[in-house]
Amino acid sequence: MHFCGKLFICRMKNILTLFFLITLSARLSAQSGAQGTQSGKITGKLTDAATKQPVEYATISLLKQGTTTPINGIISDAKGSFAVDHIPNGEYTLNIDFIGYKRNTIEHIIISNTVHTVALGSMVLSPVQNQLKSVEVVGKTPVVENKLDKLVYNAANDLTSQGGVALDVLKKVPMVSVDIDGNVELQGDANIRFLINGKPSSIFGASLADALQSIPASQIKSIEVITSPGAKYDINGTGGIINIILKDSRIQGVNGSVNLSAGTRLENGSFNFNVRKGNFGVNTFFSGNDQLSSTSMNTTDRLSYNNARDTATHLLQKGTNQFVRSGYQSGISFNWSITPKDELTGSFGLNHFSNHSTGVTNQEQQQMVNSGNVFSDILSLRNSNSRSSSNATDWSLSYKKTFNRKDQELDILYTSSSGRNTGNVFQEQDYLNGGYPSSGSMSNNPGKDRQTNISIDYTQPISDKFTIETGAKTVIENLNNTISTDTLLNNGTYVLNPRQTYGFNYNRQVFAYYISANFSLFNGFIEGKAGLRDEYTHTTADFPGANIPGYNIVAPSFVLNHKLDKTQSLKLSYTYRIERPNYGDLNPFYNISDPHNISTGNPNLRPEIGHNYELGYNKSFDNGANVYIGATYRYNTDDIQSLTTFATVLTIDGVNYSNVFLNQRFNIGKQLSEGVNLFGSLPLGKLNLRANVQLGERTNTSPTLGSVTGFSARTNLNTTYQFGHDLTAEAFVNYNSSQKNLQGMRPAFFAYNFAVRKQFLNKKASIGLTASDPFNEFTNQRSTTVGANFNQTYLRQVPFRTFGISLSYKFGKLEFKKEKEDNNNNDIQAPPDNGK
């Protein structure tokens, strides 16, 4: 454990005091306005009379006895359970409705001072006798749902992302920011654990940005943001967890969809096909995209000094870079309800992405004395070419066992992910004056990785207000890699360089156990979850000079929620998180694709420790509007940061490189982050407005570089207008401010998008038009880097403007036919939310 000192304790006292005062004030106000009443609750569980399976998404309406207007309501969850709470004393009628079933009505339900909770127990819904030939179900799901331990962004109606990729959807998600290179931050922290359908994937290991740009936006159902993961989740990722949920089908019969898009910068498509009969269902999909060739321009202007500071070197690099990217995903999954209490789910997926980059850079290196007189002026031309690709397979098998007692459950999950990655880099530098010989290198970097996860989770209700969860997990990671490098000789031939050629094996095992509890205290005044997770990490690697010690981490977490009333709530959470260095951070191999900008790993890195606190307020309104305000406080020790140092001459394996920036990651010290997140959604008739604002301040403290504080602002604005029942338009603006860091300034980023969609064929088909940055040919990214003996400015001009068209078509129909036999035709359940 690491503790934060007096400043940290003082800040948390202020937060806790604020939470207590707000809660007490709201509670007293609520009591004064509702004297003589009790907060009652009605619970129950719905099952299908024919199949004995839970009935999900049934509508439960509460009415005053003798009236016809509902005063409260809810829908049943995946287990068929429901709980209508905050009910004043009185006599009520409860109606239960769902398409394909007869209405179930329970009358004369009494809530009084002595009867606070009415447990209706298990109730059966009988199917209607007449089979529906064709049904169109129209549901209005909130774009953003704020739940106890996560926030859910439903991407189905995201117009400006149509024809785009996962990164385009992530830009819309509250508390998430994405820069122009596809780097993702969650509440200002880039250390995020990404999952697909609640499971890890090796596709994220090779290149996160490439992986997120290989997933078409049309394939995404929702994105879950978990800023305060509980004990059930892995503790890796100080920023939290982002879980991408892909589309599937939970409907009987045959159905599917086709999505195609074409644009000036990106083309993609996806196909989904779903079949379900009785208690068995199969889903399959294929999706792919191709980022068309684009050329960016870049300029580096660097001034550096030798140790005595009596001479200076001016390096000017101007170049162009042409880039293409492509990728695809495919998969198949099945769900089999063996019995009403036993369910088996399996999946298999294939993932691929690749990119190719070619560049030409003109270089001028001048050396001068303090007087400004130039005594050396070298002109050169550097050509570069790089290719990388990744092929990954994922498969999983899960078993779920439920019991007679409500919420008692056993889950067993096995997942395996393996990948093959290749990288090829070429660079050659030819001198235009001075008679210097050409220099260059070629490297080939094939590698394989495999990750296996085995977990078991068990949930045991102790009472209606107390439930225990416990479980264990093993993660086994194996990676081997080979680096082969050829060096250019003076005679123009390339020969193997043994000093830049080697292979390595990297293995990591994580063993975890957790226990947590869900509870309700003080007659429902506070609901929450608290737990402990113990993880032991053992890592071995045959890197030169590597000696990576094992370590054990005990991580506490809790989240407390208080409902001020049925429309507003307060939440306070704490999580203890770590960031494990990955093999790329640890590998001491030198990347010399640009001899003036070299990078390497650090085998002595320790895990970063993070303490994350969040205080949030959520308010919903009758007209569908919603407001969320959250304050965050994060304190990291052994903070892992990339630092740049300058060397007049850097010797690597006997070879001298001049005027070099060396980039390497270190445990630099501490990082303190404080911020506010604001999200609001406001429907105004046919117009819907959404805004997401993040304001934060981050202080990095290093024993060698001192303390640096930087402010940042991130915001996005989204406007949707419904012209008619089948024509919708949308506009989206995204802005990330610049931010000061330990060695300079991170660039700002601004983008805007427009989209329109027309639906036809009874909304089974649609056509959409999109435009991104239509009035700007390039987006300029300007950053600075400074040190004790250097300063540098870097300007990159990226072609971001694009126009596109997208088409989609849904086929099939919903079937509500109930089998007469003992077939268990429950819906295909979503993948288990293991997230671990």
Side-chain angles (χ1 to χ4, degrees):
M1 294 280 186
H2 294 251
F3 298 90
C4 310
K6 293 182 179 180
L7 174 62
F8 164 75
I9 294 172
C10 180
R11 291 180 184 275
M12 284 317 304
K13 283 183 178 179
N14 293 339
I15 292 176
L16 290 171
T17 302
L18 176 63
F19 178 78
F20 175 78
L21 292 176
I22 295 175
T23 300
L24 181 61
S25 174
R27 192 65 177 178
L28 292 174
S29 175
Q31 288 177 351
S32 65
Q35 294 180 356
T37 65
Q38 296 291 326
S39 181
K41 179 188 291 187
I42 301 173
T43 65
K45 183 174 183 179
L46 309 178
T47 58
D48 186 298
T51 67
K52 311 303 181 186
Q53 293 299 300
V55 178
E56 185 181 3
Y57 299 124
T59 302
I60 294 91
S61 304
L62 184 69
L63 304 82
K64 279 283 189 179
Q65 186 69 37
T67 67
T68 59
T69 302
I71 62 169
N72 202 345
I74 200 170
I75 62 173
S76 58
D77 62 18
K79 300 175 183 177
S81 301
F82 67 87
V84 184
D85 53 11
H86 298 288
I87 306 173
N89 293 347
E91 185 176 358
Y92 299 95
T93 297
L94 196 74
N95 289 333
I96 302 170
D97 298 279
F98 191 57
I99 296 175
Y101 293 91
K102 297 178 181 178
R103 167 176 284 188
N104 195 338
T105 299
I106 301 95
E107 296 184 325
H108 304 292
I109 301 174
I110 304 296
I111 298 293
S112 65
N113 292 337
T114 57
V115 181
H116 305 305
T117 301
V118 177
L120 300 175
S122 181
M123 296 175 289
V124 295
L125 296 184
S126 301
V128 296
Q129 298 301 315
N130 298 325
Q131 179 184 345
L132 299 176
K133 293 183 179 180
S134 179
V135 178
E136 179 185 5
V137 178
V138 179
K140 192 172 183 180
T141 305
V143 175
V144 177
E145 298 178 85
N146 192 8
K147 299 186 178 181
L148 177 64
D149 61 347
K150 61 188 173 185
L151 181 144
V152 181
Y153 179 82
N154 297 299
N157 293 317
D158 189 346
L159 297 190
T160 54
S161 297
Q162 61 184 331
V165 294
L167 285 174
D168 298 306
V169 182
L170 282 166
K171 294 173 184 176
K172 304 284 195 69
V173 179
M175 296 182 283
V176 175
S177 59
V178 182
D179 69 12
I180 197 168
D181 296 313
N183 300 310
V184 183
E185 291 187 354
L186 179 54
Q187 292 184 336
D189 195 324
N191 298 325
I192 306 167
R193 180 166 173 78
F194 275 87
L195 305 170
I196 293 180
N197 291 337
K199 307 179 187 71
S201 173
S202 61
I203 192 174
F204 292 128
S207 169
L208 178 60
D210 281 331
L212 293 174
Q213 296 197 73
S214 70
I215 304 174
S218 60
Q219 194 63 27
I220 297 175
K221 175 183 177 182
S222 62
I223 293 179
E224 297 178 346
V225 174
I226 309 171
T227 56
S228 302
K232 188 175 182 179
Y233 296 90
D234 281 347
I235 62 174
N236 192 47
T238 54
I241 296 171
I242 292 180
N243 184 22
I244 299 174
I245 306 295
L246 302 181
K247 291 180 179 178
D248 61 2
S249 175
R250 304 182 179 188
I251 302 167
Q252 288 283 322
V254 177
N255 58 85
S257 63
V258 178
N259 297 273
L260 299 172
S261 67
T264 57
R265 208 163 50 89
L266 180 70
E267 297 175 343
N268 65 40
S270 64
F271 172 76
N272 292 268
F273 184 72
N274 316 291
V275 180
R276 185 163 185 85
K277 180 68 174 179
N279 62 348
F280 188 81
V282 176
N283 298 65
T284 184
F285 76 93
F286 177 86
S287 61
N289 63 24
D290 195 4
Q291 181 177 321
L292 305 181
S293 178
S294 61
T295 300
S296 60
M297 298 177 291
N298 51 80
T299 302
T300 300
D301 193 341
R302 178 193 304 171
L303 184 63
S304 56
Y305 305 89
N306 65 355
N307 292 334
R309 298 186 71 88
D310 55 5
T311 62
T313 301
H314 180 222
L315 176 66
L316 182 63
Q317 296 175 300
K318 288 187 175 182
T320 59
N321 186 70
Q322 192 173 40
F323 185 79
V324 294
R325 176 189 283 116
S326 63
Y328 68 80
Q329 291 184 309
S330 64
I332 185 170
S333 64
F334 76 88
N335 175 267
W336 179 25
S337 298
I338 305 170
T339 74
K341 298 185 182 299
D342 298 273
E343 185 173 77
L344 193 67
T345 302
S347 66
F348 175 79
L350 292 173
N351 308 289
H352 166 81
F353 65 76
S354 63
N355 61 52
H356 181 205
S357 174
T358 58
V360 178
T361 304
N362 289 284
Q363 303 177 129
E364 181 179 13
Q365 180 175 291
Q366 293 180 329
Q367 290 183 288
M368 61 195 76
V369 295
N370 283 339
S371 62
N373 294 327
V374 176
F375 63 85
S376 175
D377 191 351
I378 302 172
L379 302 176
S380 60
L381 181 69
R382 184 169 65 88
N383 287 275
S384 61
N385 191 315
S386 66
R387 295 178 182 269
S388 66
S389 66
S390 176
N391 294 281
T393 60
D394 302 317
W395 68 279
S396 67
L397 188 65
S398 66
Y399 168 73
K400 176 184 289 187
K401 172 73 175 179
T402 57
F403 301 86
N404 290 331
R405 185 165 187 172
K406 178 186 175 183
D407 294 332
Q408 184 181 3
E409 188 175 289
L410 173 68
D411 292 281
I412 301 174
L413 175 65
Y414 177 90
T415 66
S416 180
S417 182
S418 62
R420 289 181 176 270
N421 310 309
T422 60
N424 297 280
V425 177
F426 162 82
Q427 69 86 20
E428 182 172 318
Q429 189 164 281
D430 300 307
Y431 293 89
L432 307 181
N433 66 345
Y436 296 97
S438 298
S439 63
S441 63
M442 295 188 298
S443 65
N444 182 37
N445 180 204
K448 295 186 295 183
D449 65 273
R450 184 180 182 90
Q451 179 174 325
T452 300
N453 297 258
I454 304 172
S455 64
I456 180 169
D457 302 282
Y458 179 71
T459 304
Q460 176 64 57
I462 305 302
S463 68
D464 290 341
K465 298 181 179 180
F466 191 78
T467 299
I468 291 178
E469 292 181 319
T470 187
K473 183 179 181 182
T474 298
V475 180
I476 303 171
E477 299 177 67
N478 304 103
L479 184 145
N480 57 75
N481 215 320
T482 302
I483 297 97
S484 176
T485 304
D486 294 336
T487 301
L488 178 64
L489 299 181
N490 291 341
N491 61 9
T493 62
Y494 282 85
V495 296
L496 184 68
N497 183 349
R499 291 170 299 189
Q500 283 278 291
T501 299
Y502 72 98
F504 68 84
N505 293 284
Y506 174 87
N507 300 280
R508 183 166 66 187
Q509 298 87 38
V510 180
F511 306 96
Y513 172 77
Y514 76 91
I515 185 168
S516 66
N518 297 317
F519 51 83
S520 177
L521 302 175
F522 313 118
N523 293 323
F525 181 76
I526 291 179
E527 296 178 344
K529 178 184 291 188
L532 281 174
R533 186 178 183 92
D534 189 321
E535 287 193 358
Y536 175 74
T537 303
H538 175 69
T539 306
T540 59
D542 55 4
F543 301 142
N547 183 19
I548 306 171
Y551 49 89
N552 189 77
I553 300 290
V554 179
S557 62
F558 70 81
V559 56
L560 303 176
N561 187 69
H562 170 59
K563 289 186 177 180
L564 303 173
D565 55 39
K566 67 178 182 179
T567 66
Q568 54 184 337
S569 63
L570 283 171
K571 179 177 73 173
L572 175 67
S573 66
Y574 165 77
T575 55
Y576 182 105
R577 308 284 295 170
I578 70 171
E579 180 64 24
R580 297 187 185 94
N582 61 36
Y583 75 92
D585 298 326
L586 300 169
N587 186 3
F589 177 77
Y590 287 90
N591 182 347
I592 316 177
S593 56
D594 179 354
H596 290 294
N597 296 279
I598 299 174
S599 62
T600 185
N602 181 357
N604 298 313
L605 284 176
R606 301 180 301 276
E608 179 180 324
I609 305 296
H611 303 269
N612 303 341
Y613 294 84
E614 184 175 353
L615 176 64
Y617 168 78
N618 187 72
K619 169 70 175 178
S620 59
F621 300 87
D622 293 338
N623 65 347
N626 181 265
V627 173
Y628 174 78
I629 304 173
T632 60
Y633 176 86
R634 298 183 173 215
Y635 185 86
N636 295 355
T637 57
D638 280 336
D639 188 46
I640 299 176
Q641 293 280 344
S642 292
L643 295 183
T644 299
T645 56
F646 172 77
T648 305
V649 176
L650 180 66
T651 302
I652 302 174
D653 295 324
V655 179
N656 292 330
Y657 298 90
S658 63
N659 195 19
V660 174
F661 263 17
L662 178 64
N663 188 273
Q664 192 173 13
R665 290 167 75 81
F666 296 91
N667 295 104
I668 63 165
K670 303 174 183 178
Q671 183 182 91
L672 171 65
S673 301
E674 299 170 298
V676 176
N677 296 294
L678 307 172
F679 171 78
S681 177
L682 178 63
L684 298 171
K686 295 182 178 182
L687 181 68
N688 189 287
L689 305 175
R690 294 200 312 273
N692 178 38
V693 179
Q694 299 179 61
L695 304 174
E697 188 174 76
R698 183 172 64 198
T699 300
N700 289 99
T701 303
S702 167
T704 57
L705 298 175
S707 181
V708 175
T709 299
F711 174 81
S712 67
R714 300 173 175 88
T715 183
N716 61 60
L717 306 173
N718 196 92
T719 302
T720 305
Y721 188 81
Q722 187 79 37
F723 288 96
H725 71 284
D726 56 2
L727 181 62
T728 309
E730 184 176 287
F732 173 69
V733 176
N734 183 39
Y735 171 73
N736 294 346
S737 75
S738 60
Q739 184 172 24
K740 190 176 182 181
N741 54 41
L742 276 172
Q743 290 191 291
M745 186 73 71
R746 186 185 67 179
F749 172 58
F750 176 77
Y752 54 97
N753 308 74
F754 303 101
V756 63
R757 181 178 66 185
K758 171 70 175 179
Q759 294 177 300
F760 51 95
L761 297 180
N762 293 323
K763 296 188 177 182
K764 290 184 177 180
S766 67
I767 182 171
L769 301 175
T770 59
S772 300
D773 281 22
F775 306 113
N776 296 316
E777 182 178 1
F778 292 98
T779 295
N780 294 329
Q781 294 281 280
R782 187 184 302 274
S783 61
T784 60
T785 307
V786 297
N789 57 346
F790 68 88
N791 61 76
Q792 173 180 284
T793 61
Y794 179 67
L795 172 63
R796 189 159 58 106
Q797 296 177 286
V798 183
F800 207 67
R801 179 169 61 187
T802 183
F803 300 93
I805 182 172
S806 61
L807 302 169
S808 68
Y809 179 72
K810 301 175 184 178
F811 58 90
K813 62 182 180 179
L814 311 189
E815 295 183 9
F816 291 91
K817 181 179 179 181
K818 305 300 174 183
E819 303 295 333
K820 295 182 180 180
E821 306 297 331
D822 291 333
N823 293 333
N824 308 314
N825 68 338
N826 63 306
D827 291 342
I828 294 180
Q829 299 300 310
D833 190 11
N834 291 276
K836 302 180 293 180

